[in-house]
Amino acid sequence: MYSSCFIFPLHCYADGPWWHVPSGPRVMHVTNMMIEIRDWIRNHFPYWDRRGGRDHIWLMTHDEGACYAPTEIFRSSIFLTHWGRTDLHHESNTAFTPDNYTQEYAHPEQPKGWMHLIQGHPCYMPGKDLVIPALKLPHHFRQSPLMFYPPRERNILLYLRGDVGKHRLPNYSRGIRQRLYKLWKEQDWLTNYNVLIGDGGDIPGDYSEHLASSKFCLVVPGDGWSPRLEDAVLHGCVPVVVMDGVRAVWEDQLEFERFSIRVGEQELDGLPQQLAVVPQRVLEDMQRRLRKVWHRYVYVSHPILAKEMNNVLRQNVRLWHYQMQDKKQDPALVQRITAQLEQRAVFPAQDDAFHTVLQWLYWRIPDTR
């Protein structure tokens, strides 16, 4: 079941299918659909009742993940999601009202409404569920030094480019992006600390180049999850995570605190000053640890993705070659270094994001029995 494909574009553009009523929040239909799918499985196969659904896996990748999963399914099954919110008593935080899962909707086809179906569970349960990376195609991080692009000086202290809530409801991003943008402007973080926070109008230029030139990169929510962590890690930029009570991708599986920094949502004042005094040796240690885990945040084991990854790596090695030629290096030395780079520029596909998911699921098997 791929609920995101039902929510968009089917629910947006088609007049059906519906679960079970012809209106109401989009996420309500996902909840009803999941129950119907579960019941269909129970009626046709022995597998659900064999272990109470503990060895069944549900993929919920929309903005707020499994927050609106049916409680009777969530308590037993494994959920793969991008949104690691852990608080038990939670309300929808999306600014996109059709996806607000805390709006009740009763209808003659469902007279008791639907919210009672989803209450009493968190959006993510550590140990049972998994926060997985979002898909980033190789060209998206083509200028990363981890992709053998010639490295730049990291002269941007802190970076975030994207929607900063200029035309959004106040609860978008829990107000975090809006507060950061306001602080950036009012306290002139650009002039004082070379911090870049804003949208494309505020910060023009190549996104991958900016990330590869930054020491720290902000990881903040959007309408729910946002792939800012993947952007940071895949460029070797140390993530600064600002989302209380929300686990980031692989936070429970890797030594996450060794290559990232967490900042409370109410501790944004003075953030550049705090980051500016991080010792260089500490920053370099976090960057080294990022280089050991970054491959687990990207999907390349599929043949099409593997081909694109290899193309980007080859292009970046050629760029090294041309730069060395332009500097009038000895041709034999240029050829030797290029050959060495070509040997090293191989992505460890056996431990990419997809294989990491499989490794974790294999480890979880005893808990499902």
Side-chain angles (χ1 to χ4, degrees):
M1 181 209 73
Y2 197 0
S3 57
S4 289
C5 280
F6 164 69
I7 291 176
F8 188 89
L10 291 187
H11 195 289
C12 290
Y13 296 123
D15 58 1
W18 304 106
W19 284 270
H20 307 290
V21 300
S23 188
R26 300 192 303 183
V27 290
M28 174 191 71
H29 291 270
V30 172
T31 301
N32 290 333
M33 175 173 62
M34 293 177 70
I35 293 174
E36 199 162 309
I37 290 172
R38 191 276 315 271
D39 292 345
W40 187 90
I41 292 171
R42 293 185 74 180
N43 291 333
H44 291 80
F45 303 104
Y47 308 118
W48 183 274
D49 290 328
R50 182 177 60 183
R51 296 195 176 101
R54 288 191 302 276
D55 54 1
H56 284 62
I57 303 162
W58 300 77
L59 181 69
M60 294 192 74
T61 58
H62 202 56
D63 292 342
E64 295 188 286
C67 294
Y68 46 88
T71 302
E72 58 189 50
I73 294 176
F74 182 88
R75 285 176 175 168
S76 60
S77 293
I78 297 167
F79 279 81
L80 306 182
T81 175
H82 300 317
W83 186 229
R85 185 174 178 179
T86 59
D87 48 321
L88 179 60
H89 304 290
H90 52 88
E91 295 182 352
S92 178
N93 208 207
T94 181
F96 190 71
T97 52
D99 290 343
N100 186 329
Y101 64 83
T102 43
Q103 54 178 322
E104 185 62 278
Y105 186 82
H107 186 274
E109 298 287 336
Q110 200 166 9
K112 295 182 180 180
W114 72 289
M115 285 183 55
H116 67 280
L117 300 171
I118 65 173
Q119 292 172 343
H121 71 80
C123 305
Y124 164 79
M125 188 176 293
K128 180 180 76 68
D129 307 318
L130 190 63
V131 185
I132 63 174
L135 174 65
K136 292 289 182 178
L137 299 176
H139 72 267
H140 183 83
F141 49 99
R142 66 194 180 284
Q143 296 198 38
S144 169
L146 300 170
M147 294 282 284
F148 287 84
Y149 194 93
R152 297 179 172 83
E153 178 188 359
R154 292 190 181 270
N155 53 14
I156 301 171
L157 177 64
L158 180 65
Y159 184 75
L160 171 68
R161 189 175 82 179
D163 191 336
V164 288
K166 294 178 182 178
H167 310 291
R168 292 281 207 150
L169 295 174
N171 59 306
Y172 172 72
S173 186
R174 302 181 174 185
I176 296 171
R177 296 188 188 211
Q178 298 92 313
R179 294 203 305 274
L180 284 165
Y181 182 66
K182 184 179 180 181
L183 288 167
W184 179 72
K185 294 191 71 174
E186 291 181 350
Q187 299 185 12
D188 199 3
W189 285 358
L190 174 59
T191 301
N192 295 326
Y193 300 100
N194 200 27
V195 169
L196 297 180
I197 297 176
D199 57 23
D202 302 295
I203 311 171
D206 189 279
Y207 186 57
S208 183
E209 178 182 341
H210 291 166
L211 289 163
S213 304
S214 300
K215 295 178 181 178
F216 300 97
C217 293
L218 281 160
V219 178
V220 292
D223 278 312
W225 66 271
S226 172
R228 302 296 167 176
L229 178 68
E230 292 86 333
D231 288 342
V233 170
L234 297 179
H235 285 86
C237 183
V238 173
V240 177
V241 182
V242 187
M243 45 185 188
D244 297 351
V246 180
R247 298 290 214 281
V249 178
W250 304 143
E251 184 167 359
D252 295 319
Q253 288 70 44
L254 303 175
E255 293 182 311
F256 190 80
E257 71 284 354
R258 306 292 292 274
F259 57 83
S260 67
I261 295 174
R262 265 201 176 267
V263 177
E265 294 178 11
Q266 304 305 317
E267 301 172 358
L268 301 181
D269 287 305
L271 181 57
Q273 295 94 313
Q274 297 176 42
L275 297 176
V277 298
V278 172
Q280 184 65 21
R281 59 177 178 79
V282 174
L283 175 60
E284 290 175 357
D285 182 65
M286 288 190 285
Q287 291 170 337
R288 278 193 296 270
R289 293 179 184 278
L290 273 175
R291 290 198 292 271
K292 295 180 179 180
V293 300
W294 75 281
H295 53 279
R296 296 191 181 274
Y297 287 83
V298 58
Y299 300 88
V300 296
S301 50
H302 189 281
I304 295 176
L305 297 176
K307 182 178 180 180
E308 182 178 345
M309 171 65 78
N310 289 330
N311 287 339
V312 173
L313 289 171
R314 283 196 296 269
Q315 291 169 9
N316 288 347
V317 170
R318 283 200 297 270
L319 186 58
W320 275 96
H321 182 84
Y322 296 144
Q323 287 190 359
M324 288 187 290
Q325 284 184 326
D326 290 342
K327 294 178 180 179
K328 308 301 182 183
Q329 299 270 8
D330 175 60
L333 177 63
V334 170
Q335 199 62 38
R336 187 164 65 251
I337 293 176
T338 302
Q340 291 173 350
L341 286 171
E342 288 174 343
Q343 287 183 339
R344 293 178 55 200
V346 178
F347 187 89
Q350 71 279 4
D351 284 325
D352 78 333
F354 180 69
H355 281 88
T356 303
V357 172
L358 294 183
Q359 291 160 11
W360 183 85
L361 289 171
Y362 182 79
W363 169 77
R364 279 279 285 118
I365 287 175
D367 296 324
T368 68
R369 295 300 185 255

